[in-house]
Amino acid sequence: MFARLSTYQGSPVPDGGDLTAPSEAIVKQVEDVPGFLGAYYLVDRVSGKAVSLTLWEDERSMRASEETAARIREETARREGQQVVSVDRFEVGYSTLKR
C-alpha cells in the first residue's frame, strides 16, 4: 500500500465550521480512480493547517493518479482559501484501524 500526503495552509476554521461537506465532495471525485483505497482529511482549526492522506493499492496506482490528484488538490485549495504547501509520497510500512 502507498500513501500521498498533501499539506495545506489557510485561515483558521471556526469551531462550528463543517468539515465533512467539502471532504465528501472531494472524495467523490477520486473514489473511482483505479487503486484508490481511502482518504483522511486532518485539520488544525486554530492554525488553519490541514493535511490530506490518500491511500493506494500500489505505487503504480498512486503514480497514475498524479494528474487527477494535482487538479483536485489545486481546485480545492483555491476554493477553500488554502495554499498547497507540500505533497509527499510514502510506502505504508504498517497500518491498523480499530473500529
Side-chain angles (χ1 to χ4, degrees):
M1 182 170 22
F2 280 74
R4 183 183 301 116
L5 181 70
S6 302
T7 304
Y8 308 88
Q9 184 62 56
S11 299
V13 180
D15 284 339
D18 180 20
L19 300 173
T20 59
S23 300
E24 289 172 356
I26 294 164
V27 170
K28 285 183 189 288
Q29 294 180 63
V30 72
E31 66 187 350
D32 292 329
V33 174
F36 176 76
L37 296 176
Y40 290 90
Y41 183 60
L42 312 171
V43 178
D44 179 334
R45 288 180 183 265
V46 174
S47 71
K49 182 177 181 179
V51 296
S52 64
L53 177 74
T54 55
L55 299 169
W56 301 90
E57 282 181 6
D58 51 38
E59 186 175 17
R60 181 191 55 73
S61 298
M62 181 181 67
R63 297 288 179 187
S65 72
E66 292 290 343
E67 189 175 310
T68 300
R71 179 186 49 79
I72 294 168
R73 188 170 40 250
E74 292 299 328
E75 288 174 1
T76 302
R78 186 172 36 255
R79 185 177 60 247
E80 299 296 321
Q82 297 174 321
Q83 181 178 30
V84 177
V85 176
S86 63
V87 180
D88 298 295
R89 292 147 194 90
F90 301 92
E91 183 173 4
V92 177
Y94 171 80
S95 70
T96 185
L97 182 61
K98 185 177 177 180
R99 291 196 154 193

